[in-house]
C-alpha cells in the first residue's frame, strides 16, 4: 500500500535500480510593498508575492470594519498554514502577508480572546486546536461514496487493489490509508505487517501515493520529508537519492500521476493520482498490482486511477452558493 512509482511511467534511472502588520492604504495604482530578499526563519522555501493593500484599509493602518478588516484576518490565519512550523511572531507574519506589524499584532490579540490563536512563548503565536475542529467539520461527509469509487477502480483494472490515502490530520508531512477495495485480500497476503503499515506506508518519500502527495505540498513541508531517513522496510525501488526524488516530484506534477516500481514492497508495482480540493492536496488514490502481472502500468490503469482521483476531487471541491450566478 502506498507503494511508490516513478512518474515517468518507466522504472527509475540506474542511480536507483528498479525505482525510480496592516499595510497603510496606498493611492490607486501604487504597488504593494514587496518583502526584501532576506527571509526570516520559518519562511524558507516560500516565494513571497507582492500584495496590494486590502480594500477598506484606512490610511493610518488603524482597525477598520467591513470586508477590509475581515480580509486581513483571513490573511493572518492563512499565513500560519502556509509558513509551516509550529509558531510565528507578528513581524514574520507581517512580512509574509504584507500587512503592518501593528495590525497583525492587534489581530493576534483579538484572536486569542476568540479562541483562534494562542500565545506559546513571548512574541510567538500559533493556531489553536479549535482550527482543527473547523477542518474536521468542513471534511464531514466529503468522502461519502469513496468505497464505491475504489470498487469501480478495482473492477476497471482487472481486480487491482485500490487504496485511498489522505494527508494525516495530525501531521502535514505524513499520510494514512483511510479506505480500500481489496476483495478478499489481507495485509498478510500483501506481504505487509502492521509495522510496515506504520512505517513504510506512512512516509511521503516512499510509494506512488506518498510521492504524489509530496509533489503538491508546500516546499517547507517537502524539505521536512527530504530530511527524513528512508524507512528500513522500504522496497528495492525506493528513491534513496534526494535529487532523484525531487526530480520525480516534478514529473508527478507534469503528468498528474506517479508510477511506483517496488518502492514500498518487493514484487508490487503501483499507480497513484492526486486528490485536490480547492487547489490543495488532500490525498491520493493508489492502484496496486503484482509486478509479475503489471511490470509497467498500461495506459488503461493510469487513466482509471486518474479518473477515480478526479471523482474524489470533485467530492471535495467548493460549490457555488445558491445566490451566485
Amino acid at each position: 500500500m502506498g507503494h511508490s512509482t516513478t512518474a515517468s511511467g518507466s522504472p527509475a534511472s540506474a542511480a536507483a535500480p528498479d525505482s525510480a502588520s496592516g499595510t497603510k492604504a496606498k493611492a490607486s495604482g501604487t504597488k504593494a510593498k514587496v518583502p526584501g530578499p532576506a527571509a526570516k526563519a520559518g519562511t524558507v522555501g516560500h516565494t513571497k508575492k507582492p500584495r496590494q493593500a486590502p480594500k477598506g484599509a484606512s490610511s493610518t493602518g488603524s482597525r477598520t470594519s467591513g470586508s477590509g478588516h475581515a480580509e486581513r484576518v483571513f490573511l493572518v490565519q492563512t499565513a500560519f498554514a502556509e509558513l509551516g512550523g509550529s509558531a510565528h511572531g507578528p513581524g514574520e507574519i507581517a512580512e509574509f502577508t504584507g500587512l503592518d506589524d501593528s495590525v497583525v499584532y492587534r489581530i493576534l490579540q483579538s484572536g486569542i480572546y476568540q479562541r483562534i490563536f494562542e500565545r506559546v512563548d513571548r512574541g510567538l503565536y500559533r493556531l489553536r486546536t479549535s482550527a482543527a475542529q473547523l477542518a474536521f467539520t468542513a471534511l464531514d461527509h466529503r468522502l461519502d461514496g469513496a468505497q464505491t469509487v475504489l470498487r469501480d477502480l478495482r473492477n476497471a483494472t482487472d481486480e487491482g487493489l485500490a487504496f485511498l490515502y489522505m494527508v494525516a490530520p495530525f501531521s502535514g508531512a505524513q499520510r494514512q490509508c483511510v479506505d480500500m477495495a481489496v476483495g478478499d485480500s489481507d495485509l498478510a497476503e500483501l506481504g505487509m505487517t502492521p509495522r510496515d503499515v506504520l512505517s513504510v506506508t506512512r512516509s511521503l518519500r516512499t510509494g506512488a501515493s506518498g510521492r504524489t502527495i509530496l509533489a503538491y505540498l508546500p516546499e517547507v513541508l517537502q524539505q521536512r520529508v527530504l530530511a527524513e531517513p528512508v524507512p528500513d522496510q522500504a522496497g528495492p525501488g525506493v528513491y534513496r537519492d534526494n535529487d532523484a526524488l525531487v526530480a520525480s516530484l516534478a514529473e508527478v506534477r507534469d503528468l498528474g500521476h506517479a508510477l511506483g516500481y517496488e518502492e514500498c514492497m518487493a514484487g508490487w508495482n503501483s499507480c497513484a493520482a492526486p486528490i485536490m480540493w480547492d487547489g490543495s492536496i488532500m490525498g491520493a488514490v493508489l492502484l496496486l498490482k503484482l509486478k509479475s502481472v503489471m511490470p509497467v502500468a498500461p495506459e488503461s490503469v493510469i487513466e482509471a486511477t486518474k479518473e477515480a482521483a478526479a471523482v474524489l476531487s470533485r467530492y471535495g471541491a467548493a460549490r457555488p452558493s445558491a445566490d451566485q450566478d
Side-chain angles (χ1 to χ4, degrees):
M1 301 186 297
H3 309 69
S4 48
T5 71
T6 69
S8 61
S10 60
S13 63
D18 297 325
S19 83
S21 57
T23 303
K24 294 181 180 179
K26 298 176 175 60
S28 176
T30 302
K31 294 183 178 179
K33 177 181 177 182
V34 180
K40 295 185 179 181
T43 60
V44 176
H46 177 77
T47 302
K48 294 184 178 63
K49 299 179 181 179
R51 296 183 184 272
Q52 290 185 328
K55 294 181 181 179
S58 70
S59 59
T60 62
S62 61
R63 177 172 178 172
T64 63
S65 60
S67 61
H69 178 65
E71 180 180 345
R72 284 177 283 184
V73 173
F74 292 139
L75 286 176
V76 171
Q77 289 178 303
T78 302
F80 281 96
E82 295 190 5
L83 282 171
S86 60
H88 305 283
E92 185 181 3
I93 295 172
E95 182 180 0
F96 181 86
T97 60
L99 297 175
D100 186 79
D101 291 42
S102 62
V103 172
V104 171
Y105 179 78
R106 287 196 294 272
I107 290 174
L108 291 172
Q109 293 303 306
S110 177
I112 290 175
Y113 292 107
Q114 299 299 326
R115 302 176 63 81
I116 298 173
F117 309 116
E118 63 181 349
R119 185 187 296 108
V120 295
D121 199 354
R122 184 172 182 178
L124 291 177
Y125 301 80
R126 68 185 178 192
L127 290 170
R128 286 182 62 94
T129 53
S130 57
Q133 183 177 359
L134 291 174
F136 292 143
T137 302
L139 294 177
D140 189 29
H141 301 307
R142 288 292 181 100
L143 288 175
D144 287 351
Q147 179 62 208
T148 298
V149 175
L150 295 178
R151 287 176 180 173
D152 289 345
L153 175 58
R154 176 170 164 78
N155 292 334
T157 55
D158 192 23
E159 303 306 302
L161 307 180
F163 301 87
L164 172 59
Y165 279 90
M166 301 295 284
V167 176
F170 298 109
S171 172
Q174 293 182 342
R175 63 185 156 135
Q176 66 180 49
C177 182
V178 300
D179 204 351
M180 65 182 74
V182 298
D184 296 328
S185 302
D186 58 29
L187 291 178
E189 291 175 335
L190 295 177
M192 297 195 71
T193 66
R195 181 187 178 99
D196 294 330
V197 175
L198 295 177
S199 58
V200 179
T201 66
R202 180 177 61 187
S203 173
L204 293 183
R205 65 175 300 146
T206 58
S209 62
R211 291 188 298 106
T212 294
I213 294 172
L214 183 61
Y216 295 93
L217 285 178
E219 186 174 349
V220 65
L221 293 180
Q222 290 183 351
Q223 292 301 319
R224 183 194 303 178
V225 173
L226 291 174
E228 296 174 356
V230 175
D232 293 337
Q233 297 83 6
V238 68
Y239 285 87
R240 297 187 179 276
D241 179 75
N242 277 355
D243 289 338
L245 177 57
V246 170
S248 79
L249 303 183
E251 291 182 357
V252 172
R253 293 190 295 270
D254 288 342
L255 299 176
H257 68 273
L259 298 179
Y261 297 93
E262 300 186 277
E263 289 186 46
C264 284
M265 295 184 301
W268 291 88
N269 290 342
S270 53
C271 176
I275 299 172
M276 308 292 293
W277 288 358
D278 300 329
S280 298
I281 184 68
M282 296 301 295
V285 171
L286 176 75
L287 191 284
L288 184 67
K289 300 193 80 167
L290 283 167
K291 177 183 177 180
S292 59
V293 176
M294 189 178 73
V296 176
E299 192 64 25
S300 59
V301 166
I302 295 173
E303 291 305 313
T305 304
K306 293 172 71 171
E307 175 58 25
V311 172
L312 293 177
S313 293
R314 291 194 290 271
Y315 281 13
R319 294 172 175 79
S321 59
D323 57 350
Q324 285 182 305
D325 293 335

